[in-house]
Amino acid sequence: MTPGETAAGDVATGVTRAEAVRGGAAAGGSGGGRGGPVPDAAAWDRAAELISAAGEVALACHVSPDGDALGSMLAAGAALRAAGKRVTASFGDRRFAVPRLLRFLPGQDLLVEPDRYPEAPELMVTFDVSTVDRLGTLAESAGRAAELIVVDHHPSNPGFGTLNLIDPAAASTTALVERLLHRLGLPIDEAIATCLYVGLVTDTGSFRHSSTTPAAHDMAARLVAAGLDTEEIARRLWDGSPFGYLKVLGAALGRVRLEPEVGGGLVWTFVTRADRAPYGLPYDEVEGIIDVVRRTGEAEVAVVLKEDDDGAWQVSTRSRGGVDVARVCSALGGGGHARAAGFTSRLPVAETMAGLRALL
Ligand code: AMP
Ligand code: MN
Ligand code: MN
């Protein structure tokens, strides 16, 4: 298998600009995971052509970036810059800040604040962005881009680009970036390998989730062979929490509930701004609480509601496979994968949970 190829093959599709639906509605037949056209090697070649022809490339990943979003964007950015392109990279959060645990990723000098992002890029590429909404304040630039390449692995992605490289069988968006760099003939140095590996190791839950295909292990082997310090990466990702995190985790676990009769077993809790305030704990530090809550053996579904700095609730859901949480979260305005999905709610916790229970 060549680099980046997945066991189930590509679901990469090309559409013309006229066919592309900006604004998130499904582009007819062009969505990767929705029974669109057959895997299309021509789409990869077209992406390589567009990128090769461009002098300037604007990159974007989803708001509140995780390791896969930032890792895929920075890996592509570093490789394109080394190839002589002018590269701009950003994500459209109103409070623009790289989460603490991702600050060790190389190449962050490529990042610009979203208000300095090109308004109408000649070529824009999005990474790990499942819907236009997830671009936040960069959605308008995407709407005005002459060409928009969407690189993603969410099955729910409607294919909102002029060219969509969407493969739900890929373990991470970084797997698709590795493949794209291979098509472009660009070398993967240790810095780029670090970014690619971080997306892979975080999205597969350290090679534990069902997305951990032979192709995912093959990719890890190639990256480790590039000379990665995997122990150091793991330490940076998981072993550097501030003390306040333990106190906030304690508060969240103190109010956790198990509802065995809902959806084959539901375990859930919530974390407020007030929990974090005494410790000055940033919002992104509580993203990992779902990984503790989901350990509950009696539960099929785990849910953590996290109040962000604007007072909105970011809801994380996880399933053991018996429930499609992407379906549930999509019905509530969000999206994601069958076993890991999310949505945003502005309702009180009790009302959000009532809405969720009704769908489980
Ligand atoms: P998280 O719980 O934040 O780790 O997210 C799990 C999955 O759900 C990821 O694939 C996200 O892209 C997706 N997701 C999380 N929040 C949202 C949201 N508000 N809208 C759409 N997708 C989301
Ligand atoms: Mn992501
Ligand atoms: Mn991802």
Side-chain angles (χ1 to χ4, degrees):
M1 220 177 273
T2 59
E5 219 171 63
T6 58
D10 301 324
V11 191
T13 58
V15 289
T16 67
R17 187 182 162 95
E19 288 166 326
V21 177
R22 304 298 178 80
S30 72
R34 294 193 167 168
V38 289
D40 188 354
W44 289 96
D45 291 337
R46 176 80 185 127
E49 263 169 40
L50 286 173
I51 292 167
S52 299
E56 188 161 16
V57 188
L59 311 180
C61 68
H62 64 70
V63 291
S64 298
D66 52 24
D68 192 32
L70 201 62
S72 51
M73 178 171 75
L74 291 179
L80 293 178
R81 179 166 60 181
K85 308 290 175 193
R86 283 183 313 252
V87 179
T88 311
S90 192
F91 47 92
D93 277 318
R94 281 190 291 118
R95 295 169 213 266
F96 181 80
V98 173
R100 173 193 57 81
L101 84 176
L102 297 176
R103 284 189 204 136
F104 75 99
L105 284 181
Q108 303 211 9
D109 53 311
L110 289 168
L111 295 175
V112 299
E113 302 242 350
D115 55 7
R116 291 182 45 224
Y117 198 79
E119 282 175 22
E122 153 195 4
L123 173 60
M124 181 164 168
V125 189
T126 70
F127 300 90
D128 207 40
V129 178
S130 55
T131 63
V132 171
D133 283 357
R134 300 277 288 161
L135 281 168
T137 61
L138 298 183
E140 286 186 17
S141 293
R144 293 199 205 97
E147 293 286 353
L148 179 65
I149 303 178
V150 170
V151 184
D152 188 30
H153 67 136
H154 290 91
S156 58
N157 194 312
F160 58 90
T162 56
L163 181 65
N164 298 298
L165 303 177
I166 300 167
D167 183 357
S172 62
T173 297
T174 61
L176 301 174
V177 170
E178 190 202 27
R179 176 157 201 179
L180 185 61
L181 298 186
H182 181 73
R183 288 274 173 151
L184 286 162
L186 298 179
I188 292 175
D189 63 14
E190 193 192 332
I192 295 170
T194 297
C195 292
L196 295 175
Y197 182 81
V198 165
L200 183 66
V201 74
T202 54
D203 263 30
T204 57
S206 303
F207 305 102
R208 288 178 298 143
H209 299 159
S210 61
S211 52
T212 313
T213 55
H217 282 295
D218 282 345
M219 177 176 167
R222 285 191 294 277
L223 297 176
V224 171
L228 296 189
D229 186 344
T230 54
E231 186 188 4
E232 173 67 9
I233 292 172
R235 208 178 4 250
R236 297 285 204 140
L237 287 173
W238 296 296
D239 290 338
S241 297
F243 178 69
Y245 171 72
L246 292 184
K247 304 296 279 183
V248 173
L249 176 64
L253 295 182
R255 57 174 90 97
V256 71
R257 304 214 192 139
L258 179 65
E259 300 180 21
E261 69 287 356
V262 179
L266 167 67
V267 62
W268 69 277
T269 191
F270 60 96
V271 195
T272 66
R273 267 190 293 189
D275 291 330
R276 295 188 282 114
Y279 309 101
L281 193 74
Y283 168 78
D284 52 78
E285 298 285 347
V286 303
E287 304 259 30
I289 292 179
I290 187 69
D291 292 320
V292 181
V293 174
R294 72 196 293 269
R295 291 181 191 173
T296 311
E298 295 91 333
E300 167 65 30
V301 176
V303 176
V304 175
L305 301 88
K306 301 158 292 181
E307 189 182 13
D308 68 19
D309 292 335
D310 297 323
W313 291 92
Q314 304 298 337
V315 185
S316 288
T317 66
R318 301 291 185 269
S319 150
R320 292 183 184 274
V323 172
D324 179 353
V325 286
R327 175 189 59 80
V328 172
C329 291
S330 295
L332 295 166
H337 308 276
R339 296 176 187 220
F343 64 98
T344 303
S345 173
R346 296 203 161 262
L347 301 173
V349 169
E351 281 177 48
T352 302
M353 286 308 299
L356 251 173
R357 276 189 208 96
L359 290 164
L360 285 172

